[in-house]
Amino acid sequence: MRVHVVSDVHGNSRDLAAAGEGADALVCLGDLVLFLDYADHSRGIFPDLFGAANAGTLVELRTARRFEEARALGRRLWGELDAAGTSRESVIEGAVRRQYAELFAAFPTPTYATYGNVDIPRLWPEYARPGTTVLDGQRVEIGGWVFGFVGGGLTSPMRTPYEISDEEYAAKIEAVGEVDVLCTHIPPDVPELCYDTVARRFERGSTALLHAIRTTRPRYSLFGHVHQPLARRVRIEGTECVNVGHFNATGTPYVLQW
């Protein structure tokens, strides 16, 4: 069996269309939407609305962990949009829908996918075609191995769309139980897996996921979320923990074979 795994697609539909070539299945660990590209400030929903200069300022503030100033900038810009009679929610949803239409059309058959923290789960059923299975807190068998999927992120100062409490996340991890491959969007709470060397900050990892790895010992723990991690692989007990990569930047899936 050969399974290709991607995460943090962030609008890269061109490479996504080829990501399943040569594989028996594609696994997607979320973050399909591109709201703001930290490497190219001209790309994404935010710069489309407010320009690359404002996007660059927002990235600078977030990188410096000046989150309140970043939120103040956002409030001012969105306020100007609201004053012009444009609904923030309708603008964002319309842009997300356009991206989802293109991205879900690029998924090969079969694809198994879960949500990232920037995704909007309620929209996925409208775009997931036959051949794409969406899972969250659920299991599926692929080629004789059991894969468990847990989507989303944990609450953070970034306030992205699909963030949930530690308790809710832990309940989904528990619901998945013992599996061969544990597929999540965020990493286990291991410092070298959570630290982004370019953004210069720790992203939130899950202690519940780390506990599950130590107690149930899956063959693999696969995840994304951290675009430039200090370490891409760490072995915990008998489990190979792998950040499958920032697909938006690399266009290359992680290959899992057995």
Side-chain angles (χ1 to χ4, degrees), residues 140-172:
V140 67
E141 183 178 317
I142 305 173
W145 281 14
V146 177
F147 285 64
F149 291 79
V150 174
L154 298 173
T155 53
S156 77
M158 304 294 281
R159 299 181 182 178
T160 50
Y162 189 43
E163 294 182 352
I164 60 177
S165 69
D166 291 61
E167 293 75 17
E168 185 178 351
Y169 195 89
K172 291 197 293 185

Side-chain angles (χ1 to χ4, degrees), residues 113-127:
T114 196
Y115 317 111
N117 60 292
V118 304
D119 286 311
I120 303 178
R122 66 178 174 82
L123 298 181
W124 281 36
E126 298 183 40
Y127 296 95

Side-chain angles (χ1 to χ4, degrees), residues 15-221:
D15 291 321
L16 185 61
E21 291 180 2
D24 296 291
L26 179 73
V27 166
C28 178
L29 304 182
D31 270 11
L32 297 183
V33 173
L34 179 61
F35 188 76
L36 177 59
D37 192 325
Y38 277 55
D40 182 351
H41 304 160
S42 68
R43 298 180 64 240
I45 296 172
F46 190 90
D48 285 349
L49 291 171
F50 304 118
N54 282 319
T57 300
L58 185 65
V59 169
E60 181 181 336
L61 291 172
R62 285 181 172 180
T63 302
R65 302 188 65 79
R66 294 157 58 186
F67 294 118
E68 189 50 49
E69 292 176 68
R71 283 192 284 270
L73 173 63
R75 284 193 296 269
R76 177 176 66 80
L77 294 172
W78 286 111
E80 293 172 359
L81 200 67
D82 292 338
T86 304
S87 165
R88 176 188 321 189
E89 290 75 17
S90 64
V91 167
I92 292 176
E93 183 168 318
V96 170
R97 285 181 176 278
R98 287 190 291 273
Q99 291 189 18
Y100 278 165
E102 187 173 338
L103 291 159
F104 276 91
F107 278 142
T109 297
T111 291
Y112 302 90
T114 196
Y115 317 111
N117 60 292
V118 304
D119 286 311
I120 303 178
R122 66 178 174 82
L123 298 181
W124 281 36
E126 298 183 40
Y127 296 95
R129 304 178 304 171
T132 297
T133 304
V134 180
L135 304 114
D136 189 16
Q138 298 161 293
R139 302 148 53 100
V140 67
E141 183 178 317
I142 305 173
W145 281 14
V146 177
F147 285 64
F149 291 79
V150 174
L154 298 173
T155 53
S156 77
M158 304 294 281
R159 299 181 182 178
T160 50
Y162 189 43
E163 294 182 352
I164 60 177
S165 69
D166 291 61
E167 293 75 17
E168 185 178 351
Y169 195 89
K172 291 197 293 185
I173 291 287
E174 185 175 0
V176 165
E178 294 188 15
V179 295
D180 294 292
V181 185
L182 190 46
C183 298
T184 57
H185 178 67
I186 63 174
D189 189 19
V190 175
E192 55 265 44
L193 296 175
C194 294
Y195 187 73
D196 191 308
T197 60
V198 174
R200 301 195 303 277
R201 66 168 180 260
F202 286 97
E203 302 288 353
R204 288 209 63 193
S206 169
T207 56
L209 174 57
L210 179 59
H211 177 72
I213 290 168
R214 286 174 169 162
T215 55
T216 67
R217 299 188 178 187
R219 300 171 192 262
Y220 290 90
S221 166

Side-chain angles (χ1 to χ4, degrees), residues 4-7 12 15 19 244-255:
H4 290 180
V5 189
V6 300
S7 185
N12 188 352
D15 291 321
V244 300
H246 181 201
F247 187 77
N248 170 266
T250 68
T252 303
Y254 172 77
V255 177

